Amino acid sequence: MDKYHWGERTWKEIKGATDTPRLALLPVGATEAHGPHLPLSTDVIIAEAMCQNAFEKFSSRGHETLILPPITYTAAPFAQSFPGTVSVRPETVTALLVDIGDSLAHQQFDGLLLANAHLDPTHIRSLYAARKQIEEKNDLKVIFPDITRKPWALRLTDEFKSGACHAGCYEGSIVMTAQPDLVREAIRLSLPENPASLSAAIAAGKTDFLNAGGPEAYFGSPAQASSEEGTKTVDILGSILVEAADQTFSETSP
């Protein structure tokens, strides 16, 4: 069976219990402004690339793993003043994830892996809330390696760690690897660096890109992005998902 996307299978091709943990990978992104050079679906593209890489690693070990259809709408208050951004209430996101988790638990899946590429703090809080509620109700483990926190954040690029990483070199490089036809190359190469740190702005109480110093909805260095960096970063992100799952199931095994 080479159809690794959940939606490409028929209902009879979704297997039952297996000897190894049954894992569902869920790409979690947003529909929001990513500068004048990257598509609104940038976070979704990154999350799907992360899942694809993790899927290949799991498959090489014989795990029953599928990639669910992505979450494309979520809380995106930092970008909501920019056209194209679709922001929903965080409670809506939490409720949706809880319902997905309940359905997977009913189908005897062992783990739901959240491959999250949207770093808005309101959104991230909704993921933690969903994980808590799902695990309180079910045996399903929710694996959520939050790449904004240690130890995962330390594995990523210098730009990412600086906090000036929205639609910059970090994200642009991944899109150049995964969906290069969606990058507006001429615009990307013309953009000056914006060193304003989103993480510092959040700590200072800023609540949107404009007040955080991003009038064009990007932070970092878009012109420095490269597909080579993107390929390396995707491999790191996939490894993070696999390692987080390994840690979870090793801690729960008898």
Side-chain angles (χ1 to χ4, degrees):
M1 176 62 63
D2 59 358
K3 296 180 175 64
Y4 51 84
H5 284 287
W6 186 286
E8 295 177 356
R9 293 197 172 187
T10 72
W11 67 271
K12 288 193 174 183
E13 293 168 349
I14 302 293
K15 296 180 181 178
T18 61
D19 293 334
T20 58
R22 299 179 74 214
L23 306 175
L25 295 160
L26 179 58
V28 181
T31 300
E32 68 165 1
H34 276 80
H37 60 298
L38 295 181
L40 297 165
S41 60
T42 287
D43 288 343
V44 178
I45 292 169
I46 294 171
E48 290 185 318
M50 184 178 183
C51 284
Q52 175 65 44
N53 186 275
F55 168 84
E56 293 168 358
K57 289 177 166 63
F58 282 124
S59 294
S60 69
R61 294 158 48 171
H63 284 288
E64 162 70 6
T65 309
L66 288 172
I67 302 175
L68 289 160
I71 301 292
T72 59
Y73 299 115
T74 188
F78 263 78
Q80 63 186 354
S81 60
F82 291 87
T85 298
V86 179
S87 183
V88 302
R89 292 179 295 114
E91 297 83 4
T92 301
V93 181
T94 297
L96 175 60
L97 289 172
V98 170
D99 286 349
I100 291 171
D102 288 348
S103 183
L104 292 172
H106 178 71
Q107 298 179 57
Q108 297 181 299
F109 273 78
D110 301 294
L112 169 60
L113 280 74
L114 302 181
N116 177 56
H118 180 51
L119 308 182
D120 190 301
T122 302
H123 161 77
I124 289 177
R125 286 193 293 271
S126 73
L127 301 189
Y128 278 110
R131 182 177 70 178
K132 182 175 184 293
Q133 292 180 39
I134 292 169
E135 292 190 339
E136 285 176 348
K137 298 168 63 180
N138 305 291
D139 291 332
L140 181 74
K141 293 297 180 183
V142 180
I143 297 106
F144 171 37
D146 182 354
I147 61 172
T148 68
R149 297 185 179 182
K150 297 177 181 178
W152 315 117
L154 300 178
R155 303 267 293 273
L156 297 172
T157 67
D158 289 340
E159 183 189 85
F160 183 92
K161 288 182 281 190
S162 77
C165 63
H166 181 81
C169 183
Y170 169 80
E171 292 191 327
S173 293
I174 298 174
V175 179
M176 289 172 70
T177 297
Q179 295 267 2
D181 56 312
L182 296 181
V183 181
R184 282 63 169 174
E185 269 294 284
I187 297 174
R188 179 186 73 82
L189 292 170
S190 71
L191 293 174
E193 178 184 7
N194 178 9
S197 171
L198 266 176
S199 56
I202 291 167
K206 306 299 183 183
T207 58
D208 60 58
F209 288 155
L210 293 174
N211 290 331
E216 292 292 316
Y218 78 88
F219 298 78
S221 304
Q224 295 182 18
S226 69
S227 59
E228 291 79 14
E229 177 177 311
T231 299
K232 293 177 182 178
T233 301
V234 167
D235 191 58
I236 293 170
L237 291 170
S239 296
I240 285 172
L241 271 182
V242 172
E243 291 171 28
D246 285 346
Q247 289 179 13
T248 296
F249 287 104
S250 64
E251 290 169 359
T252 59
S253 60

